[in-house]
Structure formats: C-alpha cells, structure tokens
Amino acid sequence: MNLIKQMPPQRRGGVTFGIGALGGLAFFALSLPLPWVLGSLTASLLCTQTTSFQPRFPAPWRSYAMVAIGTMLGTSFTPEVVRQAGDWTISLIVMSLLSLAFCFIAYQIFYRFGKMDRVTALFAAIPGGLSVVSVLAENYRAEVSRVALCHTARLVVLLIAAPIIIQAISGINLADASLASFTHAEAIDPVNHGILALVAIVSGWLAWRLNFPSAMLLIPLLSSGLLHATDLLTVHVPPLLSSAAQIVIGAGVGARFANYSLPQILKDGWLAAVIGVLLTFGSFIAALLFAPIIGLDNTPLFLSYLPGGAPELGVVALALSIDPAMVAAHHVLRVFLIVAMLPLIASWLGKQTQRG
C-alpha cells in the first residue's frame, strides 16, 4: 500500500496509461465505439473504485495530449472547409443561446435539488470548460470538489450517450469508423510530418508561456489550422499518436473519480448524470430542429451543441470523422464565452448571496 502511495509521478502516469491502453484494446477487440476514449475511461474509473491504486497523470501529460488534439483538430481546417465556414454563423449563434439555456436549467436543478449555494451551483452548471471553471471556482469560493465531480459525471454521460445517438441518427458504423483511422492511415512524410511536429512543439511552448485558459488546445489548433487552411500543409497526425492522446484524455477523465468515495459520487454525481441525459437529448432535439433550417447535417450539429469539454468532444469528432473543424469551432467559441461571461455572472451572484 505504501509503495503505491509513494510511487513517483512519472511511473504512476505510466501505469495509468497502461491501464487506459488495456481498456482501449479491450473495447477495440470487442468492436465497441470510441475504444481509446471510452475504453480507457472505463478501465481508469473502475480502477479508482475497485483497487488500492489511484490512477493519475503528471500535470504536463494532459497538456501534451491537448497539444496533440489541438493540432489534430487544426488539420481539419482545409481550404474547402474554410470556404464553407460562413455557413456556420447561424449555428454558432444557436449554440451560444443553447449554452445559456442549458446553463440556466442545470443551475436551477443544482441549486434547488442539489442543495448547493448559488455560486457553486453556477460553476457546476457551466457547459464545459472545466479547466477554466476550476481556476475561477477557487477565486469565487465555490466548492471546487463538488464542481469538478458534477462536470466529470456529466461528461461521462455525454461521452457514453453521444456514440449511441450518433449511430442512431447517422447510420455510421462506429466500430468501422474507429478501425478506419488505422487501415486508411496516410504514409509518413518525413518532411511535412516533421514540420507539423515542429509546429505542435512551438505552439505548445508558446501556450505554456502565455498561460491563459485552454491555451494548450487553442494555440496548436490555430497554428495547425492556419497552415492547413492555406494548403501549406496537408498531412495529419499519425494514428498511434492520436490514439495515445485519446487514452490520456479518457483515462484522465476516469482518474478524476479517485478523489471521491462512492457515497460522494452518489450524492452529486447522480444529479449531474441526470442533467447530462437531459442536456444530451436537448442537444439532439435542437440538432434535429435546426439542421433543415440552417442547411447543415444534424450529426455534427449534435456534437457541436453538446455541452461538454472541447478536447473530449473534439476527440469524438476526430475519431469518427464527423466534421471536426465545425465541431471544434463551436466548442472553441463556447470556451471564449465562458471566459468572458463567467466572472461577471459569478460576481453578480456573489453579491446577491451577500444581500440575501
């Protein structure tokens, strides 16, 4: 037991990655959807609740995965996609309004039924952006542990429900989609792949220096997107690296439950899971309603409207080849909205609480 607790961070991270990889391989072998995300998440989560080993990645590892995912999302911004980007305007507005509505609904449920104070309920209800929300929650004296648990439980529901609904509305064979990334992988081009790797490294360093919320995702995305949008680069991230990034993201989500006992998970997690189900179906209905009006396919709209984390849902879009550029644009805008509006709303609620 003591040896496990005293395990060096890098070794613990390596064991956590191995557990996630085994879960991913099991899901892959069983032809289950999103094997590297959901398989690693399941294995890591089960490990937190059934063994004495508590999975955890060193802090930089998630940053490296974010850089890889941002770079991957950027490769989807081809010149043709950029020419079509104007078609997303109405959808981006709809997503923004939906996010506000989802936040209000979740806030009311957490505040009235979850017995949270107003500020904690607000931060628990924010649709995505956990890294941003966690930092701000401490500044506004919210109960950070409850906020993180609610976000994580809701995200798990979204990641499980999304593939089921996508297969139902699109007819995409998710097992085949996951396999396609390996069977149809492009040949390695030493020069162009080397340039892409260099861009990712420089972007990650710049993001580390700037140190603003979600920089590790956004700056590589913008850098890679600019190069691919101008057709200077056309290569993609190799599938093995893509799978490794997905394992870090999935196992990282599952590892968050190491901080909670089963009674704690049941206390807030069940309510967050119910909210996750409600918002998933809200996103689904919104996609079906607005798809014919906007003139876009309902599957990427559904992924774009889901109130989850940009890296996690970006990975879903990448893994299933469902218009990653469009999905990324919607979730990046949501992150900017959260950064801009959350401090204002939290300050106002804090004043209301003091007056009350």
Side-chain angles (χ1 to χ4, degrees):
M1 179 72 72
N2 289 333
L3 288 175
I4 292 176
K5 290 183 178 179
Q6 296 171 5
M7 186 178 290
Q10 299 296 327
R11 186 178 299 173
R12 183 184 293 272
V15 174
T16 301
F17 185 88
I19 291 168
L22 287 174
L25 286 169
F27 269 50
F28 189 83
L30 294 170
S31 296
L32 295 174
L34 296 176
W36 309 114
V37 177
L38 293 182
S40 59
L41 188 158
T42 301
S44 178
L45 191 157
L46 287 174
C47 189
T48 67
Q49 300 301 310
T50 60
T51 72
S52 58
F53 176 75
Q54 300 301 290
R56 187 182 308 125
F57 288 119
W61 288 31
R62 177 173 168 84
S63 296
Y64 301 151
M66 294 272 277
V67 170
I69 291 166
T71 303
M72 286 188 285
L73 288 170
T75 64
S76 61
F77 283 85
T78 63
E80 182 181 357
V81 167
V82 172
R83 284 193 293 270
Q84 298 171 349
D87 297 338
W88 305 341
T89 304
I90 297 175
S91 180
L92 288 166
I93 294 171
V94 170
M95 182 278 301
S96 302
L97 295 175
L98 271 177
S99 296
L100 289 173
F102 287 161
C103 184
F104 178 77
I105 292 168
Y107 166 77
Q108 292 294 333
I109 294 174
F110 282 131
Y111 177 61
R112 297 180 184 278
F113 300 103
K115 297 180 180 179
M116 296 181 181
D117 62 79
R118 291 182 181 273
V119 175
T120 300
L122 170 66
F123 281 95
I126 294 299
L130 179 58
S131 59
V132 181
V133 169
S134 298
V135 172
L136 293 175
E138 293 181 352
N139 296 339
Y140 289 90
R141 298 181 180 178
E143 297 178 70
V144 180
S145 61
R146 297 185 76 184
V147 169
L149 174 59
C150 289
H151 275 257
T152 304
R154 186 174 68 229
L155 181 58
V156 169
V157 170
L158 297 183
L159 289 173
I160 293 172
I164 297 171
I165 294 178
I166 287 170
Q167 184 157 304
I169 64 177
S170 68
I172 296 173
N173 187 311
L174 302 186
D176 288 348
S178 298
L179 183 62
S181 62
F182 288 93
T183 56
H184 302 301
E186 65 188 6
I188 296 295
D189 180 332
V191 174
N192 287 312
H193 276 97
I195 293 173
L196 185 61
L198 181 62
V199 168
I201 292 169
V202 172
S203 298
W205 175 83
L206 183 59
W208 172 72
R209 294 286 295 176
L210 293 176
N211 192 29
F212 67 84
S214 299
M216 285 292 182
L217 177 76
L218 298 180
I219 292 180
L221 190 159
L222 293 173
S223 301
S224 174
L226 180 62
L227 289 173
H228 285 81
T230 53
D231 228 11
L232 292 174
L233 277 182
T234 58
V235 296
H236 299 79
V237 174
L240 281 177
L241 184 56
S242 170
S243 298
Q246 293 177 55
I247 289 169
V248 172
I249 292 297
V253 172
R256 293 179 197 166
F257 287 94
N259 300 319
Y260 308 103
S261 63
L262 188 58
Q264 288 175 311
I265 293 172
L266 293 176
K267 179 182 177 182
D268 287 326
W270 75 270
L271 193 56
V274 169
I275 290 172
V277 172
L278 291 175
L279 300 190
T280 297
F281 280 101
S283 302
F284 170 60
I285 292 168
L288 291 182
L289 287 175
F290 285 102
I293 299 171
I294 299 172
L296 296 173
D297 186 65
N298 53 28
T299 305
L301 277 182
F302 168 62
L303 266 183
S304 299
Y305 292 164
L306 276 176
E312 290 83 5
L313 293 176
V315 160
V316 174
L318 284 164
L320 302 178
S321 299
I322 299 174
D323 210 338
M326 175 181 162
V327 174
H330 283 71
H331 286 282
V332 166
L333 175 60
R334 183 185 280 119
V335 169
F336 281 122
L337 289 174
I338 291 170
V339 172
M341 297 182 66
L342 184 54
L344 299 175
I345 300 174
S347 296
W348 180 78
L349 272 181
K351 292 176 183 177
Q352 293 295 111
T353 302
Q354 291 175 355
R355 288 175 185 172

